[in-house]
Amino acid sequence: MDTLKGKNALVTGSSSGIGKAIALLFAKEGANVIVTYHSGKERADEVVKEISQYGVKTKAYGVDVAAEADVKKLFAMVDEEFGDLNILVNNAGINGSGIPVEDMSTEIWDRVIKTNLYGPFFCSREYLQYKKKYKTYKGSRIINVTSIHEYVNVPGNANYNASKSGMRNFAYTMALELASREMTVNNIAPGMILTPINEKVIDDPKKLQAADDIIPFHRGGDPMEVAQVALFLASDASSYVSGSTYTVDGCLSILGPNA
């Protein structure tokens, strides 16, 4: 308990799934948590209600991370309400299209790239403006929730694969840029986690069993198993860890491109 006591953390896309688990665990460990959502206001309000039981400060904001103006507005409101931020978790994202490149429209390509890659760029840039304003680089954290598809590619998923591999290299570049100020930047790459983004598999017993048969652990992951890694990366225990990807997938990615 109190691993993050007194720290302010912003977790994008935290009204459900992995983001919700991270937000709740951070709050349990003493952090004030900013929740963001795109369309799930009721879900976000429920998360805020759950977080409040830990006696920390929290608030939910609606934002489209793919829209630069929305992100700027979000950070301005957070600055007014919370002041400095210590931790940014870039979690908000959308799934791939299942469409081959030859049939993929620019609109479908852009929708995924803008949310999954532009979103972390917009949020990270605004967050770094906070650091410049408050002069609090050392000990601050950026954590990107990517996917094993940052290095395991599957056909029909080019927009998602590209966005996640882009996040990896984006994070590594920031890690180098911020290293002299001891501000860390890392990625978490989940495999099949039992969240709404995988509902097509979860809700179909045959598909779920087929997935379990492939995963060496023979099960999907729990969102809290990802959140625990995020807690480590947000804490002082990871003070010398930067420019890394932590894979949370029950050994799935070891199987290679056919995973």
Side-chain angles (χ1 to χ4, degrees):
M1 298 291 288
D2 294 337
T3 301
L4 303 179
K5 187 175 181 179
K7 295 185 182 295
N8 293 333
L10 190 159
V11 184
T12 66
S14 43
S15 62
S16 65
I18 291 172
K20 175 182 176 180
I22 292 172
L24 289 172
L25 184 58
F26 281 13
K28 183 179 179 181
E29 293 293 336
N32 303 312
V33 181
I34 296 97
V35 173
T36 83
Y37 63 93
H38 184 212
S39 57
K41 185 180 186 304
E42 290 184 4
R43 293 195 307 271
D45 289 341
E46 282 299 314
V47 174
V48 165
K49 186 177 179 181
E50 289 185 60
I51 287 173
S52 297
Q53 70 178 313
Y54 296 113
V56 298
K57 187 175 181 178
T58 183
K59 190 170 183 177
Y61 298 88
V63 62
D64 178 2
V65 297
E68 183 175 8
D70 262 28
V71 173
K72 286 182 176 291
K73 182 179 178 181
L74 166 68
F75 276 80
M77 291 189 294
V78 170
D79 191 12
E80 185 175 341
E81 186 76 19
F82 288 82
D84 192 15
L85 282 171
N86 308 102
I87 304 158
L88 169 65
V89 181
N90 287 311
N91 170 73
I94 56 176
N95 218 337
S97 57
I99 300 172
V101 170
E102 62 185 315
D103 299 320
M104 188 180 295
S105 68
T106 303
E107 181 182 5
I108 290 172
W109 171 270
D110 281 349
R111 179 170 173 267
V112 173
I113 295 296
K114 286 182 177 178
T115 300
N116 294 1
L117 190 53
Y118 276 60
F121 164 66
F122 291 147
C123 290
S124 298
R125 185 178 62 186
E126 292 306 309
Y127 178 56
L128 291 174
Q129 292 304 310
Y130 266 50
K131 300 295 95 183
K132 187 179 293 186
K133 174 182 176 180
Y134 288 98
K135 297 179 173 60
T136 53
Y137 289 96
K138 185 175 181 178
S140 294
R141 308 284 190 253
I142 296 177
I143 302 166
N144 290 333
V145 179
T146 62
S147 166
I148 60 170
H149 296 298
E150 69 172 51
Y151 46 82
V152 176
N153 293 288
V154 294
N157 221 28
N159 46 5
Y160 187 80
N161 297 340
S163 70
K164 294 303 183 178
S165 61
M167 284 181 74
R168 176 190 61 197
N169 289 319
F170 174 58
Y172 291 1
T173 301
M174 283 196 295
L176 287 170
E177 292 176 352
L178 297 167
S180 64
R181 286 167 274 185
E182 294 195 30
M183 178 176 176
T184 68
V185 188
N186 292 287
N187 292 336
I188 302 174
M192 195 188 84
I193 308 299
L194 303 179
T195 68
I197 201 171
N198 287 316
E199 63 184 355
K200 289 181 180 179
V201 175
I202 297 169
D203 294 341
D204 186 322
K206 289 184 178 179
K207 288 183 179 179
L208 183 58
Q209 186 59 56
D212 287 349
D213 288 343
I214 294 171
I215 299 168
F217 269 42
H218 299 299
R219 66 172 178 86
D222 185 276
M224 195 55 69
E225 292 179 299
V226 182
Q228 292 287 354
V229 178
L231 176 61
F232 164 69
L233 292 173
S235 73
D236 292 340
S238 64
S239 59
Y240 202 56
V241 177
S242 194
S244 297
T245 291
Y246 284 73
T247 303
V248 186
D249 71 345
C251 291
L252 179 61
S253 58
I254 295 175
L255 298 175
N258 295 321

